[in-house]
Amino acid sequence: MARPTGSPSLRLDDLIADPQTRIVVCCGSGGVGKTTTAAALGVRAAEQGRRVVVLTIDPALRLAQSLGLTALDNTPRPVTGIDTASGGSLDAMMLDMKRTFDEVVEQHATPEKAAQILANPFYIAVSSSFAGTQEYMAMEKLGQLREQARREDRWDLIVVDTPPSRSALDFLDAPKRLGSFLDGRFIRILVAPAKAGGKAYFKAVGATVTVAVGVMTKVLGGDLLRDVQTFVAALDTMFGGFRERADATYALLQDAETAFVVVASPDRDALREASFFVERLGQERMPLAGVVVNRVQTLAGNLSRSRAEDAAAALDEATPRSSASADLLRLHADLATMAERHQAQIGRFRSGNPGIAVTQVPAAARDIHDLEGLREVGATLAG
């Protein structure tokens, strides 16, 4: 399919060669190959002389092993097997959501207050499973890595693999969602007693809050409600810090040193999600490098679908039994149909998003689970 006018190709080699690019964020809906893309970019950038750290989220086991990440670890560690002839290096880490949350508490609370928070049953539940926590903590860890890079001059490029959310927009919405939670009426009701002297406060404010607390006691149970109140009272002094750090990281994502790479598969839903994300990045004034479409079916040679089908039919007529050659021709026809569908979907995306740079990564014949496979993907991404 001809490329629409004004639809450029994405050349990620140009991006990683620019020393002003300090952060690359690979984002997209779940299951489109964000982790592989982030790892491949990290390997290619390191072998071209950048000092890279890749922050990945829950990679497949064999891919994690190829990066030397055999266990969940919240600390960047060197990846072996990288060609360092150009002076580059590659560290990699997997986000430990709860450990990152614990680090925030330990950094911004007194030792006594931190111990109280970390031992609280409600905190343990929130830090492990609250909606948006993983996305928020990915942003927290990005902020920590950027600060460490500035302080220690350890890395000059951070590549972020965003969490495997149902929606790519969850990554950008997480700070706002957490802020709404911290500012919400539920939290204000729970914080108020600690600020105003406990039960005496409820007697003073009247029946409305008393009814609300009564309902919460029935829903949550008395013990859980006390855990929640204790947690909120202990964390109250940190709420402003949460919002400030979220705002700072959000500003970092808008900075010219950051580049977003939206990753999609050549399916209608994934490309529609990519379109939403491209639009949102524009609204938030966040710098978009372009879109990577993974797992695109390609064909070698010039044998079209219709000619393959005709040739298979002719072989069937000539022989009483279906031949292996006819079966291969039908398989080729099926792959050609898929390739045509993929190009049609990509063409529609390009037409709907003129001016957005796009590159395609062909579907691999095997799983990407080693550095050589990542190098092959990186070479394709190079344009």
Side-chain angles (χ1 to χ4, degrees):
M1 177 176 291
R3 179 182 301 158
T5 302
S7 184
S9 285
L10 173 63
R11 292 180 54 86
L12 288 173
D13 258 11
D14 295 339
L15 181 70
I16 60 179
D18 182 358
Q20 299 304 311
T21 302
R22 312 285 291 190
I23 298 171
V24 175
V25 181
C26 297
C27 51
S29 54
V32 296
K34 292 193 303 291
T35 301
T36 299
T37 301
L41 276 174
V43 170
R44 188 162 184 88
E47 295 189 336
Q48 292 192 0
R50 300 296 299 267
R51 292 174 290 120
V52 187
V53 58
V54 174
L55 168 61
T56 186
I57 316 292
D58 192 25
L61 177 60
R62 297 180 74 182
L63 179 59
Q65 290 172 339
S66 75
L67 293 172
L69 301 173
T70 54
L72 188 67
D73 199 326
N74 214 37
T75 302
R77 302 190 185 281
V79 176
T80 59
I82 297 297
D83 182 355
T84 59
S86 297
S89 63
L90 178 61
D91 291 342
M93 62 173 294
M94 287 184 284
L95 178 72
D96 184 334
M97 177 177 67
K98 186 178 186 311
R99 182 60 205 146
T100 301
F101 209 149
D102 291 350
E103 290 171 354
V104 173
V105 171
E106 291 166 349
Q107 182 179 358
H108 297 278
T110 64
E112 295 79 12
K113 187 75 74 174
Q116 182 183 5
I117 295 171
L118 297 179
N120 184 278
F122 185 71
Y123 167 78
I124 294 171
V126 167
S127 62
S128 302
S129 60
F130 183 74
T133 301
Q134 188 176 51
E135 289 82 3
Y136 181 85
M137 288 305 146
M139 295 185 72
E140 279 279 354
K141 182 54 69 175
L142 169 59
Q144 291 175 11
L145 289 173
R146 187 68 187 98
E147 186 59 34
Q148 186 177 354
R150 286 173 175 157
R151 185 174 63 250
E152 302 176 5
D153 194 28
R154 181 173 175 182
W155 307 294
D156 59 25
L157 180 63
I158 301 170
V159 181
V160 182
D161 162 35
T162 57
S165 308
R166 181 193 62 79
S167 168
L169 297 176
D170 288 347
F171 180 68
L172 294 182
D173 288 335
K176 190 179 299 181
R177 185 183 300 117
L178 184 63
S180 297
F181 171 72
L182 297 177
D183 288 328
R185 185 179 181 186
F186 173 71
I187 291 296
R188 291 200 305 272
I189 289 174
L190 294 174
V191 173
K195 289 184 174 179
K199 294 181 180 179
Y201 167 81
F202 288 119
K203 293 179 181 178
V205 299
T208 302
V209 171
T210 303
V211 170
V213 173
V215 171
M216 287 188 290
T217 302
K218 291 179 181 179
V219 173
L220 300 176
D223 291 342
L224 180 55
L225 180 58
R226 281 192 293 274
D227 288 339
V228 173
Q229 288 177 318
T230 302
F231 161 73
V232 171
L235 204 63
D236 181 41
T237 57
M238 295 178 57
F239 285 176
F242 273 105
R243 283 188 289 270
E244 288 173 7
R245 286 189 302 281
D247 291 344
T249 305
Y250 215 71
L252 180 62
L253 295 177
Q254 294 175 315
D255 194 273
E257 72 176 31
T258 300
F260 279 83
V261 174
V262 177
V263 184
S265 61
D267 303 309
R268 182 181 61 183
D269 290 344
L271 287 169
R272 182 186 296 121
E273 184 83 7
S275 292
F276 291 151
F277 202 85
V278 166
E279 181 180 357
R280 174 69 180 277
L281 289 173
Q283 293 171 351
E284 302 290 342
R285 301 189 304 280
M286 292 184 176
L288 171 67
V291 176
V292 172
V293 186
N294 271 330
R295 304 167 188 159
V296 179
Q297 184 61 56
T298 58
L299 292 176
N302 298 315
L303 183 61
S304 67
R305 173 178 57 83
S306 59
R307 289 180 63 191
E309 290 173 340
D310 291 344
L315 284 173
D316 287 339
E317 291 179 2
T319 58
R321 296 182 180 178
S322 178
S323 67
S325 296
D327 290 340
L328 286 174
L329 286 165
R330 277 189 285 270
L331 175 60
H332 181 90
D334 290 342
L335 294 177
T337 300
M338 183 181 298
E340 291 173 3
R341 184 170 65 249
H342 286 179
Q343 290 305 318
Q345 295 288 359
I346 295 169
R348 279 191 283 272
F349 175 84
R350 286 184 181 274
S351 297
N353 298 274
I356 300 300
V358 177
T359 193
Q360 302 179 31
V361 178
R366 59 185 178 85
D367 289 339
I368 306 299
H369 61 266
D370 56 20
L371 288 177
E372 192 55 43
L374 292 174
R375 288 188 181 101
E376 292 174 6
V377 174
T380 304
L381 292 171

